[in-house]
Amino acid sequence: MAMADSRSDGRSSRASGSSRTASRRRVLRLAGGGLALAALTAGTVACEEEAVDVKDPGSAGGGKPEGDDKGGSGDGGADRSGGAPEPLWTETTSAETFGDNDELVVAGGAVIASGTPLAALDAGTGKRKWSLPGGVVPGAPLLLSEETLYLASSQYDGTVTGYDPASGKETWRSRLGKGYRQPRPIAVDENQVYVIAEILEDDGSSTTNIIAALDSTTGRITWKEQRDVGTMQDGIHAAVRGRHLVYTDGKKNLTVRDTATGRQVWTHRTTKTNYGFFAVHQDLVIVPQGQRIQAFALSDGKEKWSLETADFTLFKEPAVVEDVLYVADSARTVRAVDPRTGKQLWQSTALADAELQVPRQYVKAGDTLYGATDLDPEGGIIAMDAKNGAVRWTFNDGTGDHHSWLVATDGKRVFALHGTKLHALPV
């Protein structure tokens, strides 16, 4: 019989270099579902009129640009003066995001932001390609495989559906059964879709949930395992590498399962996981835990390397992009690290020098690393030299919207989502 996820009481916390409390948006995300949406609706403040705030290269928001004054290749799309580029297009979307990094995706020539209706915009023009009236479940991810976008049903009827991201046409459907409620896809590989769902009691309540694998061809259940009472269905972050499914939840559990059988391989209780964000590279899972960031072997959970930051300084959300681990800390220092060994490749204080906030999400196009920050006014999209972390420019739309920024790229453009405003920036 497979082991169940370990329980851990207490709640994960998010550090801040200026001792700020966790953002209201993060709290809403962890609350999840209808409760979060209701809380958001009750407290939303009207945005200011649309404006674009272009930081000058020498200002506190821009830092010192790299490259010449002509823009284009080698400067991350900077304008002729070395500042932030003008958007190629800006569109108002139906986005309803909770700050998760998988709520803005690019696939099939379309950029898609989580919302109702779910709308796919042409990556080149910003014109609507297709939309789904039902939208997505609040807080659920936009889960992409190579050719399919998987969504939990907004009808809460127990189905998980796959769509062609280029056309919006349904290509796959699965249903766990009447005994389960609100299945949410959390990860996908070439063979299976992994979901978590509540187990319904006779009176319609639920105190337990399952994790299951669905065959991505037939939709049939490959395996399902019950998790412990008290483990959370919301706040899940997950990834798949080979035979290992790894995920975190709001109870500060880090769990790895065998993708073929569902058997739990190991689990750790973590101290601080920055709301469950982690990175995976090859056979390692890399987890920020306060002042340390640790890499564990997926096969057995043994620590392979660790890296420490300064006293009273905490690591933020990590990301592995093109075989490099990027992670910032609460002192606004950004590090590039070899994810295999933990060896530091470079360290930059450019964000602190320019009084910018640290990114919580990273993408890369060419030799430029683009970071998306939380809702701080001295943030937005920050373009950095991927070789040394130097700040090239920052982009902020000036709306003052309380949502976190999200960023995605197709290699030709960088897409920046802020509230309901979606901007396409040149690279």
Side-chain angles (χ1 to χ4, degrees):
M1 180 175 179
M3 297 171 61
D5 296 60
S6 299
R7 288 189 56 187
S8 174
D9 295 328
R11 301 177 66 178
S12 56
S13 62
R14 180 173 182 265
S16 172
S18 56
S19 301
R20 295 165 54 194
T21 57
S23 73
R24 177 173 175 274
R25 198 61 186 161
R26 293 295 183 83
V27 175
L28 290 179
R29 189 187 77 230
L30 288 179
L35 177 62
L37 194 57
L40 173 62
T41 304
T44 300
V45 179
C47 294
E48 301 172 8
E49 292 184 0
E50 179 181 353
V52 175
D53 179 17
V54 178
K55 305 283 188 181
D56 290 331
S59 71
K64 183 179 179 180
E66 298 288 320
D68 59 29
D69 61 356
K70 298 180 180 180
S73 177
D75 54 16
D79 66 10
R80 290 184 178 275
S81 66
E86 290 289 336
L88 300 170
W89 53 259
T90 296
E91 295 291 339
T92 299
T93 73
S94 56
E96 299 168 345
T97 61
F98 287 78
D100 282 344
N101 294 349
D102 47 17
E103 294 177 317
L104 178 69
V105 298
V106 185
V111 55
I112 308 167
S114 181
T116 302
L118 183 67
L121 305 185
D122 184 277
T125 66
K127 303 302 181 184
R128 181 171 293 194
K129 294 187 69 173
W130 55 262
S131 66
L132 299 175
V136 298
V137 174
L142 300 176
L143 192 63
L144 273 174
S145 70
E146 196 168 305
E147 298 179 345
T148 306
L149 173 68
Y150 294 96
L151 300 176
S153 172
S154 61
Q155 302 300 313
Y156 298 94
D157 57 3
T159 61
V160 178
T161 310
Y163 299 90
D164 176 4
S167 66
K169 293 181 178 179
E170 182 178 321
T171 59
W172 181 89
R173 180 177 286 255
S174 181
R175 194 168 191 271
L176 281 176
K178 295 182 178 180
Y180 305 99
R181 179 173 59 189
Q182 298 185 19
R184 295 190 180 191
I186 61 170
V188 62
D189 59 23
E190 61 272 17
N191 299 313
Q192 297 177 147
V193 182
Y194 303 91
V195 300
I196 285 182
E198 297 175 357
I199 302 173
L200 283 174
E201 306 295 340
D202 292 339
D203 61 359
S205 65
S206 178
T207 58
T208 54
N209 59 80
I210 64 163
I211 185 165
L214 308 175
D215 189 291
S216 58
T217 300
T218 66
R220 294 175 180 173
I221 299 173
T222 304
W223 53 258
K224 59 184 177 182
E225 295 290 332
Q226 182 173 331
R227 303 173 72 215
D228 273 358
V229 175
T231 51
M232 297 181 68
Q233 182 185 8
D234 296 313
I236 299 286
H237 298 276
V240 187
R241 287 295 183 274
R243 286 286 297 268
H244 299 106
L245 168 66
V246 55
Y247 57 96
T248 57
D249 63 20
K251 291 290 186 179
K252 296 191 282 189
N253 294 320
L254 173 66
T255 303
V256 174
R257 289 183 180 270
D258 187 301
T259 57
T261 65
R263 177 183 63 86
Q264 183 170 294
V265 180
W266 57 268
T267 186
H268 284 338
R269 294 185 181 185
T270 58
T271 53
K272 298 179 184 296
T273 59
N274 291 293
Y275 288 89
F277 286 97
F278 62 88
V280 174
H281 180 70
Q282 296 179 356
D283 58 350
L284 298 176
V285 54
I286 304 164
V287 186
Q289 301 202 75
Q291 191 179 338
R292 301 178 71 201
I293 188 166
Q294 294 173 280
F296 301 103
L298 288 172
S299 59
D300 56 16
K302 293 182 179 179
E303 182 182 299
K304 293 299 183 180
W305 58 260
S306 67
L307 188 65
E308 290 193 6
T309 186
D311 290 343
F312 312 110
T313 304
L314 307 177
F315 279 112
K316 310 297 257 184
E317 296 91 337
V320 174
V321 183
E322 295 183 6
D323 295 327
V324 176
L325 170 69
Y326 298 99
V327 63
D329 63 32
S330 56
R332 306 184 189 185
T333 297
V334 180
R335 292 173 174 82
V337 178
D338 184 335
R340 300 167 300 174
T341 64
K343 179 181 178 181
Q344 187 168 285
L345 304 176
W346 54 256
Q347 176 175 310
S348 172
T349 61
L351 297 184
D353 297 340
E355 299 182 356
L356 295 171
Q357 291 300 314
V358 298
R360 48 173 301 278
Q361 184 188 13
Y362 304 86
V363 299
K364 187 171 179 283
D367 63 355
T368 303
L369 183 69
Y370 300 88
T373 75
D374 245 329
L375 46 134
D376 191 277
E378 290 301 331
I381 303 301
I382 303 175
M384 296 168 279
D385 190 320
K387 297 187 295 294
N388 56 30
V391 175
R392 290 177 167 169
W393 50 259
T394 67
F395 173 85
N396 195 309
D397 57 14
T399 63
D401 192 286
H402 61 276
H403 292 75
S404 297
W405 286 81
L406 295 177
V407 65
T409 184
D410 61 0
K412 301 176 182 178
R413 294 157 287 256
V414 170
F415 303 98
L417 179 66
H418 189 212
T420 60
K421 295 295 183 182
L422 181 59
H423 311 276
L425 304 174
V427 300

